[in-house]
Amino acid sequence: QIQLVESGGGLVQSGGSLRLTCAASRSTFTINTMNWYRQAPEKQRELVATITRAGNTAYADSVKGRFTVSRDIVKNTVSLQMNSLKPEDTAVYYCNVHYLYGVGDVWGQGTQVTVSS
């Protein structure tokens, strides 16, 4: 069974930085994309950042220029560097990995990020 373990959330002041990391357990399945989502209270879960097998990245407009997604293929991890954090970035952040060939999506347990003003 594939498992994702997230780390790095916490409380930070506005303008500060945090780095989230998600480690995927080893498997024989092929990763398509590695993604970060977030869900704020009473809001829908939204896609924040994506990195593809080819290393291409995409970001939500609200985080462009502030967040950077990266991956370590050897360690099977994906990270989200979050800079210039704002109170509106407060949410539970979820790691998601989409696997090919019918395996589908696997989700992490979520990690709380709180940005104080």
Side-chain angles (χ1 to χ4, degrees):
Q1 184 176 358
I2 303 169
Q3 290 186 323
L4 305 180
V5 178
E6 302 166 12
S7 60
L11 173 64
V12 65
Q13 288 188 333
S14 181
S17 297
L18 282 174
R19 185 177 180 85
L20 306 182
T21 299
C22 172
S25 56
R26 293 287 180 185
S27 74
T28 58
F29 302 119
T30 303
I31 292 174
N32 184 22
T33 60
M34 304 182 86
N35 314 291
W36 287 98
Y37 286 77
R38 69 184 180 187
Q39 187 167 19
E42 300 182 358
K43 291 190 177 180
Q44 289 189 333
R45 189 172 297 189
E46 63 171 343
L47 178 61
V48 174
T50 295
I51 185 164
T52 70
R53 290 180 65 196
N56 299 315
T57 59
Y59 300 92
D61 287 344
S62 58
V63 306
K64 281 180 182 176
R66 300 188 297 121
F67 290 12
T68 302
V69 61
S70 60
R71 64 179 184 182
D72 186 321
I73 294 176
V74 174
K75 295 182 179 179
N76 229 25
T77 60
V78 59
S79 297
L80 185 68
Q81 178 66 42
M82 305 184 293
N83 299 328
S84 303
L85 282 161
K86 304 175 182 180
E88 51 263 44
D89 294 318
T90 295
V92 177
Y93 284 70
Y94 296 91
C95 175
N96 164 271
V97 178
H98 180 70
Y99 292 86
L100 292 174
Y101 311 124
V103 176
D105 288 292
V106 179
W107 291 88
Q109 79 281 7
T111 185
Q112 177 70 46
V113 171
T114 303
V115 184
S116 63
S117 57

